[in-house]
Amino acid sequence: MSTSKAKTPQTMKPATAAKKLGILLSAAPAEFQEGVISRDELNALQADPPAWLAELRRVGPHPRQVVAARLRVSASGLARAGITGPLTTAEIEALKAENPDWLEREQAIRNKVRQEELRLKQQRAKA
């Protein structure tokens, strides 16, 4: 007869959980930054975000990937523009309103890349 061990919950570092939640770890509460997060806790945070998480998602500061997505540019495009740190929602909206040349250029580059990826995907599907 085999004995079954109790399953240990899958856990992750706070940095991994923050990335999965789309938040900046340094802006999260200390108890989140210092603890270990289980998969169940992460799922609960995603399903029913507490006030601090909802606020962070709404106003930021946001990590680079979120900033890039909200500006519809790549993370590399942000780096080329000299934006290396996190931005708040207000700063992102101000950039959108200002619509500098670099933003238009990077959005055009991203659109071309996506069109090319789509073309290649369709080409592979035909083959």
Side-chain angles (χ1 to χ4, degrees):
M1 220 192 274
S2 65
T3 58
S4 62
K5 295 181 182 177
K7 263 184 128 176
T8 57
Q10 182 183 8
T11 60
M12 64 192 81
K13 294 177 182 176
T16 304
K19 187 172 184 178
K20 290 180 181 288
L21 292 170
I23 62 170
L24 193 63
L25 179 61
S26 60
E31 60 268 12
F32 181 86
Q33 292 182 36
E34 296 164 1
V36 175
I37 293 87
S38 71
R39 173 63 66 186
D40 291 338
E41 290 170 328
L42 179 70
N43 291 340
L45 287 170
Q46 289 173 325
D48 187 24
W52 66 265
L53 180 56
E55 181 75 6
L56 267 180
R57 286 177 167 170
R58 193 165 24 83
V59 298
H62 304 289
R64 279 177 34 135
Q65 291 299 342
V66 173
V67 173
R70 288 187 177 196
L71 289 173
R72 296 186 330 265
V73 300
S74 67
S76 300
L78 284 179
R80 284 189 292 270
I83 298 175
T84 57
L87 296 178
T88 63
T89 300
E91 292 168 328
I92 293 169
E93 293 304 318
L95 272 173
K96 284 181 179 178
E98 184 183 323
N99 201 22
D101 291 340
W102 70 264
L103 182 57
E104 285 185 32
R105 186 174 54 252
E106 292 299 335
Q107 286 173 340
I109 290 170
R110 182 174 182 229
N111 286 336
K112 285 180 187 174
V113 168
R114 287 190 168 211
Q115 288 172 355
E116 180 64 9
E117 287 172 349
L118 179 61
R119 184 188 70 79
L120 291 172
K121 183 179 179 182
Q122 289 171 344
Q123 188 179 34
R124 282 190 295 268
K126 289 179 186 177

